[in-house]
């Protein structure tokens, strides 16, 4: 994962289409977890494990956001 990202990159990761499906959301492989591709899935179709991992990923990713890029 990059050292810093822009807020726009962060938002792009969680972008949804008009049907509420994620367009770019792939949670990378981490220690004991395989990569999770959530492209084309809606929130309602997530498993409990996917919800937990997505929440953790979003938190880790937000920590990388260069706060100067938030408007």
């Amino acid at each position: 994962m990059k050292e810093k990202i822009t807020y726009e990159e962060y938002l792009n990761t969680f972008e949804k289409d008009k049907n509420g499906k994620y367009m770019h959301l792939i949670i990378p492989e981490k220690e004991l977890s395989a990569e999770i591709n959530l492209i084309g899935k809606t929130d309602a179709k997530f498993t409990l494990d996917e919800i937990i991992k997505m929440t953790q990923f979003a938190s880790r990713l937000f920590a990388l956001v260069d706060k100067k890029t938030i408007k």
Side-chain angles (χ1 to χ4, degrees):
M1 215 181 275
K2 291 179 171 182
E3 296 238 353
K4 287 287 182 186
I5 63 171
T6 66
Y7 187 60
E8 187 174 322
E9 288 174 299
Y10 174 82
L11 292 177
N12 187 54
T13 301
F14 298 96
E15 184 178 6
K16 296 179 183 180
D17 66 14
K18 63 181 179 168
N19 298 313
K21 295 179 179 180
Y22 287 95
M23 296 170 48
H24 313 284
L25 185 54
I26 299 175
I27 300 172
E29 182 177 346
K30 186 174 189 274
E31 288 106 44
L32 302 174
S33 295
E35 177 181 278
I36 301 173
N37 184 338
L38 299 172
I39 294 173
K41 253 188 161 175
T42 62
D43 293 329
K45 298 291 182 182
F46 282 11
T47 65
L48 181 57
D49 187 54
E50 289 170 339
I51 292 168
I52 291 167
K53 294 211 167 93
M54 197 267 287
T55 303
Q56 293 170 339
F57 175 66
S59 178
R60 285 193 314 272
L61 196 60
F62 189 76
L64 298 178
V65 171
D66 180 351
K67 304 310 185 257
K68 292 181 255 175
T69 64
I70 299 174
K71 296 176 185 175

